[in-house]
């Protein structure tokens, strides 16, 4: 994978999600927490692939697919948006925040969240 501390980022994000919304543990159990951890590794892999191929559509398409999958299983779009925000926060905490790759990841996450927010509005409207 990349030179970024992916495991550290994934651990931090998973902790943050369950810290801020402990009801997820009640709703989805320990298996849900494991899936959250796995999902965040996938998020990071898609960010890396998007970066290597220099193609934003890879990550935004992934975000839309993920949204359809997880909302069909009882999650909310806001959970994904929050998750992507937590990844951004973890990236901001890195010593190499000014790195081109990190900056690109932040841009990809922002764009995905923008598209997910548009999806939320369509479903409400």
């Amino acid at each position: 994978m990349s030179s970024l501390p992916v495991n550290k980022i994934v651990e931090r994000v998973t902790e943050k999600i369950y810290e801020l919304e402990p009801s997820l543990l009640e709703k989805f159990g320990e298996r849900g927490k494991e899936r959250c951890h796995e999902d965040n590794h996938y998020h990071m892999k898609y960010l890396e692939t998007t970066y290597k191929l220099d193609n934003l559509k890879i990550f935004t398409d992934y975000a839309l697919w993920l949204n359809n999958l997880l909302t069909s299983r009882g999650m909310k779009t806001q959970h994904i948006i929050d998750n992507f925000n937590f990844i951004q926060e973890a990236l901001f905490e890195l010593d190499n925040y000014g790195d081109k790759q990190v900056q690109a990841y932040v841009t990809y996450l922002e764009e995905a969240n923008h598209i997910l927010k548009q999806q939320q509005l369509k479903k409400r409207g």
Side-chain angles (χ1 to χ4, degrees), residues 47 50-51 54 56-57 59-60 84 87-88 91-92 97 99-115:
L47 286 167
T50 300
Y51 180 75
D54 192 24
L56 174 62
K57 190 167 173 27
F59 195 75
T60 56
F84 287 173
I87 293 173
Q88 285 182 350
L91 291 169
F92 292 146
Y97 175 70
D99 182 80
K100 182 181 173 187
Q101 183 178 6
V102 173
Q103 292 293 315
Y105 282 20
V106 169
T107 299
Y108 306 152
L109 290 159
E110 287 173 349
E111 187 60 29
N113 274 348
H114 175 73
I115 289 170

Side-chain angles (χ1 to χ4, degrees), residues 12-25:
R12 177 71 184 116
V13 170
T14 303
E15 286 173 15
K16 183 94 171 182
I17 289 169
Y18 279 84
E19 184 181 294
L20 293 176
E21 198 162 342
S23 65
L24 290 174
L25 192 56

Side-chain angles (χ1 to χ4, degrees), residues 10 14 31-45 62:
V10 167
T14 303
R31 181 71 182 132
K33 193 171 185 179
E34 291 170 17
R35 296 295 261 174
C36 178
H37 192 267
E38 290 171 10
D39 287 348
N40 276 286
H41 272 286
Y42 285 122
H43 304 338
M44 296 304 295
K45 286 179 184 178
Y62 167 71

